[in-house]
Amino acid sequence: SKNTKLILALGIIFNLCLLGFFKYTDLLIFTINSVTDSQFNYWNIILPLAISFFTFQQIAYLVDTSQGKVNEHGFIKYSLFVTFFPQLIAGPIVHHSEMMPQFHALKRLNKLWENIAVGITIFVIGLFKKVILAEQMSYWADKTFAASSMGVEIGMLDAWTGLLCFSFQIYFDFSGYTDMATGAARLFGIKLPINFFSPYRASSIINFWRCWHITLSRFLRDYLYFPLGGNKSGTFKRLRNIMIVMLLGGLWHGAGYNFIIWGGLHGLYLIINHSWRYFKNINKINNNIYNWFGKILTFISVSYAWVYFRSDSLESAINFSNSLFGLNGVILPMHYSDLFNGFLKNLEQVGVEFGATITYGGGMQLIWLAGMFCFIWLLPNTQEIMHKFEPTINFKGMKITKSSSLITWIPNALTALIIGCIAISLVILIIQGQPGEFIYFQF
């Protein structure tokens, strides 16, 4: 009815206006100052915790209610749905129909100890990713991006090293958080929807977004892409809709033009990927070489886009991008000059210098980076390790790799002892502070 559509529109506008006020007011002031050469003061509004996530969740609730998909409207149940703490801070973005039946079923829950064991295990795995893997990568990545933000023209080697470290940092940050959210919810007998499934293994950018922040991709598809017309209005409008969705998705991640460019890059990647798929299907191209090439190209493309996601400003991002392409030269560690003694003059002619580098961590850094690649591409992810216990909703729809047979969690005294020791060690490192520095040395 017209009244239902009006109420829905008002509800969505109200939520978006609140999000816009708290998150994008200073961006608007910055834009006005830049365009009109004004000097308006920034408001420096304190951002409410998790506003981006519960705003999208409330919009999904309103739309689902208007379509008759929600049958319960009590304030207590609504509040529980929106503010369930394990997934409140950074997702996953859940649907009412996914959560409320589980809350009702808690009264007849009969797998208490299994849920506690599975929940603690998944939580500790996530904590390990965050405290050990992500923090160590952050230790190196922060140096490079900090130098770039101060206008330092960093060398090509430093730029790529710092970018790879950040690519792994954000991967394990988000993967670790997702595991901790999943584990915390499972302690209460609740399964969250799957939100992260080895996206760096993806052989295309399309598959990447099917494995990275899965519930955000689902939300943008269901509540933005489809209402815009989806792929039913011709090729041009389909590609236009993809770009609009990714630009707005980038802006949702952060209030800055860097994030819009990041979203625009992914929109461009998706357009190219869809065009390539059409060409490949027409010409019946199907070769494993393309699959492996696609994995490498996807990883490099995603990593490059992270430059705009991580940089403090657009100027810093451009400076960093120039370094990646060698426009600021190549600086190798001083002691490497002995290895290239006979070629020093030739190297100097093409812009290679020897001196102090920003991110160089010696052989240990190379070992860590190699370890990150092996961790991501060869070892099973958390979902695969815990696959016998269906750790998330819709997990059965994900493809389980053969690597899952290498490490499968089995509840027994030994695994309990291992998880307990890891948990205690991580807590000690957190209490001591700076966990990323505890194994930093050079050789």
PDB file of all heavy atoms in Angstrom, residues 77-101:
ATOM      1  N   LYS A  77      12.374  -7.880  21.245  1.00  0.00           N
ATOM      2  CA  LYS A  77      12.926  -8.776  20.228  1.00  0.00           C
ATOM      3  C   LYS A  77      13.672  -7.984  19.149  1.00  0.00           C
ATOM      4  O   LYS A  77      14.724  -8.417  18.659  1.00  0.00           O
ATOM      5  CB  LYS A  77      11.802  -9.609  19.608  1.00  0.00           C
ATOM      6  CG  LYS A  77      11.163 -10.588  20.584  1.00  0.00           C
ATOM      7  CD  LYS A  77      10.051 -11.372  19.935  1.00  0.00           C
ATOM      8  CE  LYS A  77       9.432 -12.349  20.949  1.00  0.00           C
ATOM      9  NZ  LYS A  77       8.319 -13.119  20.343  1.00  0.00           N
ATOM     10  N   TYR A  78      13.122  -6.836  18.793  1.00  0.00           N
ATOM     11  CA  TYR A  78      13.789  -5.984  17.811  1.00  0.00           C
ATOM     12  C   TYR A  78      15.141  -5.513  18.344  1.00  0.00           C
ATOM     13  O   TYR A  78      16.153  -5.538  17.632  1.00  0.00           O
ATOM     14  CB  TYR A  78      12.906  -4.778  17.481  1.00  0.00           C
ATOM     15  CG  TYR A  78      13.619  -3.682  16.733  1.00  0.00           C
ATOM     16  CD1 TYR A  78      13.852  -3.798  15.365  1.00  0.00           C
ATOM     17  CD2 TYR A  78      14.058  -2.538  17.389  1.00  0.00           C
ATOM     18  CE1 TYR A  78      14.514  -2.791  14.673  1.00  0.00           C
ATOM     19  CE2 TYR A  78      14.723  -1.533  16.713  1.00  0.00           C
ATOM     20  CZ  TYR A  78      14.948  -1.661  15.349  1.00  0.00           C
ATOM     21  OH  TYR A  78      15.606  -0.673  14.671  1.00  0.00           O
ATOM     22  N   SER A  79      15.180  -5.102  19.598  1.00  0.00           N
ATOM     23  CA  SER A  79      16.426  -4.634  20.210  1.00  0.00           C
ATOM     24  C   SER A  79      17.461  -5.747  20.279  1.00  0.00           C
ATOM     25  O   SER A  79      18.652  -5.528  20.032  1.00  0.00           O
ATOM     26  CB  SER A  79      16.153  -4.082  21.614  1.00  0.00           C
ATOM     27  OG  SER A  79      15.254  -2.990  21.565  1.00  0.00           O
ATOM     28  N   LEU A  80      17.006  -6.955  20.616  1.00  0.00           N
ATOM     29  CA  LEU A  80      17.905  -8.098  20.652  1.00  0.00           C
ATOM     30  C   LEU A  80      18.492  -8.362  19.272  1.00  0.00           C
ATOM     31  O   LEU A  80      19.705  -8.598  19.134  1.00  0.00           O
ATOM     32  CB  LEU A  80      17.158  -9.333  21.153  1.00  0.00           C
ATOM     33  CG  LEU A  80      17.931 -10.669  21.111  1.00  0.00           C
ATOM     34  CD1 LEU A  80      19.165 -10.604  21.994  1.00  0.00           C
ATOM     35  CD2 LEU A  80      17.012 -11.812  21.525  1.00  0.00           C
ATOM     36  N   PHE A  81      17.663  -8.304  18.262  1.00  0.00           N
ATOM     37  CA  PHE A  81      18.107  -8.539  16.887  1.00  0.00           C
ATOM     38  C   PHE A  81      19.166  -7.513  16.463  1.00  0.00           C
ATOM     39  O   PHE A  81      20.193  -7.865  15.887  1.00  0.00           O
ATOM     40  CB  PHE A  81      16.897  -8.488  15.948  1.00  0.00           C
ATOM     41  CG  PHE A  81      17.251  -8.316  14.501  1.00  0.00           C
ATOM     42  CD1 PHE A  81      17.912  -9.324  13.801  1.00  0.00           C
ATOM     43  CD2 PHE A  81      16.935  -7.138  13.835  1.00  0.00           C
ATOM     44  CE1 PHE A  81      18.241  -9.159  12.465  1.00  0.00           C
ATOM     45  CE2 PHE A  81      17.257  -6.968  12.498  1.00  0.00           C
ATOM     46  CZ  PHE A  81      17.918  -7.980  11.812  1.00  0.00           C
ATOM     47  N   VAL A  82      18.944  -6.258  16.756  1.00  0.00           N
ATOM     48  CA  VAL A  82      19.837  -5.190  16.295  1.00  0.00           C
ATOM     49  C   VAL A  82      21.124  -5.133  17.096  1.00  0.00           C
ATOM     50  O   VAL A  82      22.204  -4.857  16.556  1.00  0.00           O
ATOM     51  CB  VAL A  82      19.111  -3.825  16.345  1.00  0.00           C
ATOM     52  CG1 VAL A  82      20.073  -2.686  16.039  1.00  0.00           C
ATOM     53  CG2 VAL A  82      17.957  -3.805  15.354  1.00  0.00           C
ATOM     54  N   THR A  83      21.040  -5.418  18.403  1.00  0.00           N
ATOM     55  CA  THR A  83      22.191  -5.151  19.279  1.00  0.00           C
ATOM     56  C   THR A  83      22.883  -6.407  19.799  1.00  0.00           C
ATOM     57  O   THR A  83      23.676  -6.322  20.726  1.00  0.00           O
ATOM     58  CB  THR A  83      21.748  -4.305  20.486  1.00  0.00           C
ATOM     59  OG1 THR A  83      20.766  -5.029  21.255  1.00  0.00           O
ATOM     60  CG2 THR A  83      21.156  -2.986  20.032  1.00  0.00           C
ATOM     61  N   PHE A  84      22.619  -7.565  19.227  1.00  0.00           N
ATOM     62  CA  PHE A  84      23.303  -8.790  19.657  1.00  0.00           C
ATOM     63  C   PHE A  84      24.809  -8.566  19.533  1.00  0.00           C
ATOM     64  O   PHE A  84      25.340  -8.421  18.435  1.00  0.00           O
ATOM     65  CB  PHE A  84      22.845  -9.971  18.808  1.00  0.00           C
ATOM     66  CG  PHE A  84      23.438 -11.292  19.221  1.00  0.00           C
ATOM     67  CD1 PHE A  84      23.325 -11.743  20.526  1.00  0.00           C
ATOM     68  CD2 PHE A  84      24.099 -12.086  18.287  1.00  0.00           C
ATOM     69  CE1 PHE A  84      23.866 -12.971  20.905  1.00  0.00           C
ATOM     70  CE2 PHE A  84      24.640 -13.305  18.657  1.00  0.00           C
ATOM     71  CZ  PHE A  84      24.520 -13.747  19.972  1.00  0.00           C
ATOM     72  N   PHE A  85      25.509  -8.532  20.665  1.00  0.00           N
ATOM     73  CA  PHE A  85      26.844  -7.935  20.724  1.00  0.00           C
ATOM     74  C   PHE A  85      27.934  -8.634  19.910  1.00  0.00           C
ATOM     75  O   PHE A  85      28.842  -7.955  19.404  1.00  0.00           O
ATOM     76  CB  PHE A  85      27.301  -7.808  22.183  1.00  0.00           C
ATOM     77  CG  PHE A  85      27.780  -9.083  22.799  1.00  0.00           C
ATOM     78  CD1 PHE A  85      29.117  -9.424  22.745  1.00  0.00           C
ATOM     79  CD2 PHE A  85      26.903  -9.946  23.434  1.00  0.00           C
ATOM     80  CE1 PHE A  85      29.579 -10.605  23.317  1.00  0.00           C
ATOM     81  CE2 PHE A  85      27.348 -11.126  24.002  1.00  0.00           C
ATOM     82  CZ  PHE A  85      28.680 -11.461  23.941  1.00  0.00           C
ATOM     83  N   PRO A  86      27.943  -9.969  19.717  1.00  0.00           N
ATOM     84  CA  PRO A  86      29.070 -10.547  18.983  1.00  0.00           C
ATOM     85  C   PRO A  86      29.253  -9.989  17.579  1.00  0.00           C
ATOM     86  O   PRO A  86      30.377  -9.819  17.111  1.00  0.00           O
ATOM     87  CB  PRO A  86      28.734 -12.044  18.951  1.00  0.00           C
ATOM     88  CG  PRO A  86      27.916 -12.257  20.171  1.00  0.00           C
ATOM     89  CD  PRO A  86      27.075 -11.007  20.272  1.00  0.00           C
ATOM     90  N   GLN A  87      28.147  -9.693  16.884  1.00  0.00           N
ATOM     91  CA  GLN A  87      28.266  -9.200  15.510  1.00  0.00           C
ATOM     92  C   GLN A  87      27.952  -7.717  15.375  1.00  0.00           C
ATOM     93  O   GLN A  87      27.867  -7.201  14.269  1.00  0.00           O
ATOM     94  CB  GLN A  87      27.352  -9.999  14.576  1.00  0.00           C
ATOM     95  CG  GLN A  87      25.945 -10.257  15.081  1.00  0.00           C
ATOM     96  CD  GLN A  87      24.988  -9.084  14.979  1.00  0.00           C
ATOM     97  OE1 GLN A  87      24.224  -8.827  15.885  1.00  0.00           O
ATOM     98  NE2 GLN A  87      25.046  -8.353  13.886  1.00  0.00           N
ATOM     99  N   LEU A  88      27.818  -7.022  16.490  1.00  0.00           N
ATOM    100  CA  LEU A  88      27.392  -5.629  16.435  1.00  0.00           C
ATOM    101  C   LEU A  88      28.480  -4.704  15.907  1.00  0.00           C
ATOM    102  O   LEU A  88      28.222  -3.817  15.085  1.00  0.00           O
ATOM    103  CB  LEU A  88      26.959  -5.164  17.836  1.00  0.00           C
ATOM    104  CG  LEU A  88      26.566  -3.687  17.973  1.00  0.00           C
ATOM    105  CD1 LEU A  88      25.322  -3.400  17.141  1.00  0.00           C
ATOM    106  CD2 LEU A  88      26.318  -3.339  19.437  1.00  0.00           C
ATOM    107  N   ILE A  89      29.737  -4.889  16.328  1.00  0.00           N
ATOM    108  CA  ILE A  89      30.794  -3.919  16.062  1.00  0.00           C
ATOM    109  C   ILE A  89      31.186  -3.871  14.592  1.00  0.00           C
ATOM    110  O   ILE A  89      31.339  -2.798  14.010  1.00  0.00           O
ATOM    111  CB  ILE A  89      32.032  -4.228  16.926  1.00  0.00           C
ATOM    112  CG1 ILE A  89      31.631  -4.316  18.409  1.00  0.00           C
ATOM    113  CG2 ILE A  89      33.103  -3.161  16.726  1.00  0.00           C
ATOM    114  CD1 ILE A  89      30.984  -3.059  18.932  1.00  0.00           C
ATOM    115  N   ALA A  90      31.368  -5.024  13.967  1.00  0.00           N
ATOM    116  CA  ALA A  90      31.826  -5.035  12.577  1.00  0.00           C
ATOM    117  C   ALA A  90      31.225  -6.182  11.774  1.00  0.00           C
ATOM    118  O   ALA A  90      31.855  -6.724  10.880  1.00  0.00           O
ATOM    119  CB  ALA A  90      33.352  -5.107  12.523  1.00  0.00           C
ATOM    120  N   GLY A  91      30.004  -6.553  12.094  1.00  0.00           N
ATOM    121  CA  GLY A  91      29.316  -7.554  11.305  1.00  0.00           C
ATOM    122  C   GLY A  91      29.528  -8.962  11.831  1.00  0.00           C
ATOM    123  O   GLY A  91      30.187  -9.164  12.851  1.00  0.00           O
ATOM    124  N   PRO A  92      28.971  -9.942  11.152  1.00  0.00           N
ATOM    125  CA  PRO A  92      28.257  -9.828   9.888  1.00  0.00           C
ATOM    126  C   PRO A  92      26.903  -9.124  10.011  1.00  0.00           C
ATOM    127  O   PRO A  92      26.353  -9.018  11.104  1.00  0.00           O
ATOM    128  CB  PRO A  92      28.056 -11.290   9.471  1.00  0.00           C
ATOM    129  CG  PRO A  92      28.062 -12.056  10.760  1.00  0.00           C
ATOM    130  CD  PRO A  92      29.049 -11.347  11.628  1.00  0.00           C
ATOM    131  N   ILE A  93      26.427  -8.630   8.869  1.00  0.00           N
ATOM    132  CA  ILE A  93      25.112  -7.999   8.806  1.00  0.00           C
ATOM    133  C   ILE A  93      24.081  -9.116   8.645  1.00  0.00           C
ATOM    134  O   ILE A  93      24.111  -9.855   7.666  1.00  0.00           O
ATOM    135  CB  ILE A  93      25.034  -7.017   7.621  1.00  0.00           C
ATOM    136  CG1 ILE A  93      26.098  -5.922   7.774  1.00  0.00           C
ATOM    137  CG2 ILE A  93      23.637  -6.397   7.521  1.00  0.00           C
ATOM    138  CD1 ILE A  93      26.273  -5.059   6.543  1.00  0.00           C
ATOM    139  N   VAL A  94      23.196  -9.247   9.613  1.00  0.00           N
ATOM    140  CA  VAL A  94      22.311 -10.411   9.656  1.00  0.00           C
ATOM    141  C   VAL A  94      20.881 -10.023   9.308  1.00  0.00           C
ATOM    142  O   VAL A  94      20.487  -8.860   9.386  1.00  0.00           O
ATOM    143  CB  VAL A  94      22.353 -11.076  11.047  1.00  0.00           C
ATOM    144  CG1 VAL A  94      23.750 -11.582  11.347  1.00  0.00           C
ATOM    145  CG2 VAL A  94      21.886 -10.113  12.137  1.00  0.00           C
ATOM    146  N   HIS A  95      20.102 -11.031   8.931  1.00  0.00           N
ATOM    147  CA  HIS A  95      18.677 -10.868   8.666  1.00  0.00           C
ATOM    148  C   HIS A  95      17.874 -11.329   9.883  1.00  0.00           C
ATOM    149  O   HIS A  95      18.300 -12.219  10.627  1.00  0.00           O
ATOM    150  CB  HIS A  95      18.253 -11.681   7.446  1.00  0.00           C
ATOM    151  CG  HIS A  95      18.687 -11.093   6.148  1.00  0.00           C
ATOM    152  ND1 HIS A  95      18.244  -9.872   5.700  1.00  0.00           N
ATOM    153  CD2 HIS A  95      19.535 -11.555   5.190  1.00  0.00           C
ATOM    154  CE1 HIS A  95      18.786  -9.602   4.521  1.00  0.00           C
ATOM    155  NE2 HIS A  95      19.582 -10.608   4.201  1.00  0.00           N
ATOM    156  N   HIS A  96      16.708 -10.737  10.032  1.00  0.00           N
ATOM    157  CA  HIS A  96      15.811 -11.091  11.129  1.00  0.00           C
ATOM    158  C   HIS A  96      15.476 -12.581  11.093  1.00  0.00           C
ATOM    159  O   HIS A  96      15.464 -13.264  12.122  1.00  0.00           O
ATOM    160  CB  HIS A  96      14.535 -10.247  11.020  1.00  0.00           C
ATOM    161  CG  HIS A  96      13.611 -10.366  12.190  1.00  0.00           C
ATOM    162  ND1 HIS A  96      12.658 -11.363  12.270  1.00  0.00           N
ATOM    163  CD2 HIS A  96      13.496  -9.630  13.327  1.00  0.00           C
ATOM    164  CE1 HIS A  96      11.992 -11.222  13.397  1.00  0.00           C
ATOM    165  NE2 HIS A  96      12.472 -10.184  14.059  1.00  0.00           N
ATOM    166  N   SER A  97      15.242 -13.099   9.895  1.00  0.00           N
ATOM    167  CA  SER A  97      14.847 -14.507   9.746  1.00  0.00           C
ATOM    168  C   SER A  97      15.977 -15.468  10.089  1.00  0.00           C
ATOM    169  O   SER A  97      15.733 -16.659  10.350  1.00  0.00           O
ATOM    170  CB  SER A  97      14.381 -14.770   8.309  1.00  0.00           C
ATOM    171  OG  SER A  97      15.413 -14.469   7.377  1.00  0.00           O
ATOM    172  N   GLU A  98      17.227 -14.990  10.075  1.00  0.00           N
ATOM    173  CA  GLU A  98      18.362 -15.840  10.423  1.00  0.00           C
ATOM    174  C   GLU A  98      18.556 -15.960  11.925  1.00  0.00           C
ATOM    175  O   GLU A  98      19.023 -16.989  12.415  1.00  0.00           O
ATOM    176  CB  GLU A  98      19.650 -15.277   9.806  1.00  0.00           C
ATOM    177  CG  GLU A  98      19.700 -15.337   8.291  1.00  0.00           C
ATOM    178  CD  GLU A  98      20.910 -14.620   7.740  1.00  0.00           C
ATOM    179  OE1 GLU A  98      21.365 -13.636   8.366  1.00  0.00           O
ATOM    180  OE2 GLU A  98      21.407 -15.024   6.664  1.00  0.00           O
ATOM    181  N   MET A  99      18.195 -14.893  12.651  1.00  0.00           N
ATOM    182  CA  MET A  99      18.548 -14.823  14.060  1.00  0.00           C
ATOM    183  C   MET A  99      17.410 -15.207  14.999  1.00  0.00           C
ATOM    184  O   MET A  99      17.609 -15.949  15.970  1.00  0.00           O
ATOM    185  CB  MET A  99      19.033 -13.413  14.396  1.00  0.00           C
ATOM    186  CG  MET A  99      20.217 -12.953  13.561  1.00  0.00           C
ATOM    187  SD  MET A  99      21.627 -14.079  13.662  1.00  0.00           S
ATOM    188  CE  MET A  99      22.083 -13.851  15.373  1.00  0.00           C
ATOM    189  N   MET A 100      16.196 -14.689  14.762  1.00  0.00           N
ATOM    190  CA  MET A 100      15.120 -14.863  15.731  1.00  0.00           C
ATOM    191  C   MET A 100      14.746 -16.324  15.976  1.00  0.00           C
ATOM    192  O   MET A 100      14.522 -16.716  17.132  1.00  0.00           O
ATOM    193  CB  MET A 100      13.892 -14.052  15.301  1.00  0.00           C
ATOM    194  CG  MET A 100      14.130 -12.539  15.282  1.00  0.00           C
ATOM    195  SD  MET A 100      14.968 -11.890  16.758  1.00  0.00           S
ATOM    196  CE  MET A 100      13.773 -12.280  18.036  1.00  0.00           C
ATOM    197  N   PRO A 101      14.681 -17.173  14.936  1.00  0.00           N
ATOM    198  CA  PRO A 101      14.392 -18.589  15.227  1.00  0.00           C
ATOM    199  C   PRO A 101      15.433 -19.223  16.135  1.00  0.00           C
ATOM    200  O   PRO A 101      15.093 -20.089  16.959  1.00  0.00           O
ATOM    201  CB  PRO A 101      14.401 -19.240  13.834  1.00  0.00           C
ATOM    202  CG  PRO A 101      14.050 -18.129  12.900  1.00  0.00           C
ATOM    203  CD  PRO A 101      14.699 -16.903  13.487  1.00  0.00           C
TER     204      PRO A 101
END
